[in-house]
Amino acid sequence: MRSPKDFFAPLALGAPDPVREIPLRPSRMIHFFDPSNEKMRAKAGDMARDVDVLLGNLEDAVPADHKEAARNGLVEVAKSTDFGDTQLWTRVNSLDSPWVLDDLITLVTEVGEQLDVIMVPKVEGAEDIHYVDRLLAQLEARAGLRHPLLVHAILETASGVANVEEIAAASPRMQGISLGPADLAASRRMKTTRVGGGHPGYLVRTDPTGEDVTEGRTSYQQDLWHYTVARMVDACAMHGILPYYGPFGDIRDVVGCEDQFRNAYLLGCVGAWSLHPKQIAIAKKVFSPEPSEVAWARKVIAAMGDGTGTVMIDGKMQDDATVKQCRVVAELAEQLASRDPELGQAYDEATKEAMADD
């Protein structure tokens, strides 16, 4: 067993020191693009202005004969694009593929300074993160990087879910974890072919009220992913890293997408994947607290003073537990306001109105 002290020592001679705290940068949407597509590469700068995270995808959705083009295309984008405050991530190929080693060697040594996070698919357990951790340290030392790259795991297998706490704790590099519903459904032998979202067959029904069991009974569709998302959120919270909902595959169903994203947001996720420009606006809306919520949170914090005791506000009792909840919303609002001045102005105006009502 490694000593806890070893977690904060470089894993290779000359590698940068590991981070001690994951930066809480806005990441409401992780927007995927295919770097092998020349038209998409040309739009990278425009996309970067609209999103919190731009991710060059090298894995699923990239055909085998396009893997090298995608890798080289991402290098081109990283070198030629001004990302401003937008983070640049990549999803490399799976660790059992013939492409992942070249992915890591090329990206870290050629554009490691431009990359923020490397997303690793189909993580089965802590041993997968340990492998990537050591390899990245060696490559960082070779490239002379000043800051370590962070790692993001995708839960796409039953083993990954079973080991999610160990995955979250596997390395100081761990930035976060995303739900990968499609591969996870296949791994679990779930009987759905949808990519994220619910299923009309997964429901509960009210009890019969008379002799006829077919009449007057209302059914309610349930969330297939509630258990997994909640467990992932707990694992991430326990280890100071960030949880994300993954893809919602039905691009046309903007209502269902918003509902699924909001479920994840309320449970504690900080963002979700966007696969189409339509989903960027949905994620931005859902994962940004409403101005009225921010105003209420700031009002409670101001009234609570040092955060102890109780106060009554608008007929509702507030105590140390509720002020902690309010700080979550208020701190998120501050982070988002620094990136989105218009949103920050909306928060401030709503707060002034709420305080004036007292």
Side-chain angles (χ1 to χ4, degrees):
M1 180 182 295
R2 293 174 63 196
S3 165
K5 297 176 184 176
D6 293 341
F7 267 53
F8 297 110
L11 290 177
L13 184 65
D17 289 338
V19 297
R20 290 182 176 259
E21 187 174 355
I22 297 301
L24 299 177
R25 299 173 64 185
S27 47
R28 293 164 293 182
M29 74 295 295
I30 304 170
H31 188 63
F32 278 57
F33 80 101
D34 178 359
S36 71
N37 185 312
E38 185 177 354
K39 290 182 179 179
M40 286 193 177
R41 291 200 304 271
K43 295 178 181 178
D46 292 334
M47 288 189 288
R49 285 190 285 272
D50 290 336
V51 301
D52 295 336
V53 176
L54 186 63
L55 181 144
N57 183 29
L58 307 184
E59 196 219 9
D60 289 352
V62 177
D65 58 353
H66 287 189
K67 295 291 188 183
E68 187 172 349
R71 185 188 307 128
N72 294 336
L74 182 55
V75 169
E76 176 188 320
V77 167
K79 289 182 176 180
S80 62
T81 305
D82 179 6
F83 291 96
D85 293 333
T86 296
Q87 301 174 59
L88 177 63
W89 294 20
T90 184
R91 178 171 71 170
V92 296
N93 286 283
S94 61
L95 298 181
D96 62 353
S97 76
W99 305 290
V100 65
L101 190 58
D102 286 335
D103 290 345
L104 294 172
I105 292 172
T106 300
L107 295 174
V108 177
T109 57
E110 294 195 27
V111 291
E113 290 288 0
Q114 286 75 42
L115 280 174
D116 292 284
V117 176
I118 293 177
M119 184 181 281
V120 182
K122 302 176 180 63
V123 174
E124 299 269 1
E127 65 278 4
D128 289 341
I129 301 300
H130 295 161
Y131 167 77
V132 174
D133 197 4
R134 177 78 71 171
L135 181 56
L136 287 178
Q138 294 168 336
L139 294 172
E140 288 164 349
R142 175 191 288 185
L145 298 189
R146 295 165 294 175
H147 304 289
L149 291 161
L150 301 182
V151 169
H152 183 106
I154 314 178
L155 290 189
E156 298 183 273
T157 68
S159 294
V161 175
N163 296 319
V164 66
E165 289 84 4
E166 290 80 4
I167 292 169
S171 166
R173 293 182 190 275
M174 284 299 298
Q175 178 273 344
I177 301 177
S178 284
L179 170 70
D183 280 292
L184 180 55
S187 174
R188 286 174 167 170
R189 299 182 182 176
M190 295 169 64
K191 310 307 184 288
T192 176
T193 57
R194 300 178 175 212
V195 178
H199 193 288
Y202 191 71
L203 52 83
V204 294
R205 193 181 302 274
T206 56
D207 289 342
T209 56
E211 293 297 323
D212 189 345
V213 299
T214 64
E215 292 294 325
R217 301 180 65 178
T218 303
S219 64
Y220 301 90
Q221 186 170 318
Q222 303 294 289
D223 185 356
L224 286 166
W225 308 108
H226 180 89
Y227 157 78
T228 307
V229 172
R231 184 168 179 184
M232 177 183 72
V233 167
D234 283 345
C236 289
M238 182 167 63
H239 294 288
I241 66 175
L242 306 176
Y244 298 78
Y245 190 81
F248 188 91
D250 190 345
I251 304 301
R252 299 168 303 168
D253 187 5
V254 292
V255 175
C257 179
E258 182 171 335
D259 290 342
Q260 189 69 67
F261 284 5
R262 182 166 288 105
N263 288 347
Y265 167 74
L266 292 172
L267 278 173
C269 288
V270 300
W273 298 8
S274 55
L275 307 180
H276 186 276
K278 290 181 180 179
Q279 296 181 341
I280 294 173
I282 296 171
K284 186 175 291 187
K285 172 185 176 182
V286 169
F287 290 98
S288 303
E290 290 287 336
S292 58
E293 294 176 346
V294 175
W296 171 257
R298 289 173 172 174
K299 187 175 181 178
V300 172
I301 292 169
M304 284 291 294
D306 65 1
T308 63
T310 60
V311 296
M312 293 293 292
I313 304 177
D314 298 343
K316 300 176 183 178
M317 188 193 77
Q318 312 298 325
D319 60 11
D320 59 338
T322 52
V323 80
K324 290 174 186 175
Q325 292 176 293
C326 289
R327 284 179 181 143
V328 171
V329 174
E331 289 169 6
L332 174 58
E334 291 299 323
Q335 294 165 13
L336 297 179
S338 65
R339 179 170 175 78
D340 187 340
E342 289 186 9
L343 187 60
Q345 184 177 354
Y347 289 156
D348 290 343
E349 290 175 355
T351 301
K352 289 178 182 177
E353 185 175 339
M355 297 298 189
D357 291 339
D358 288 346

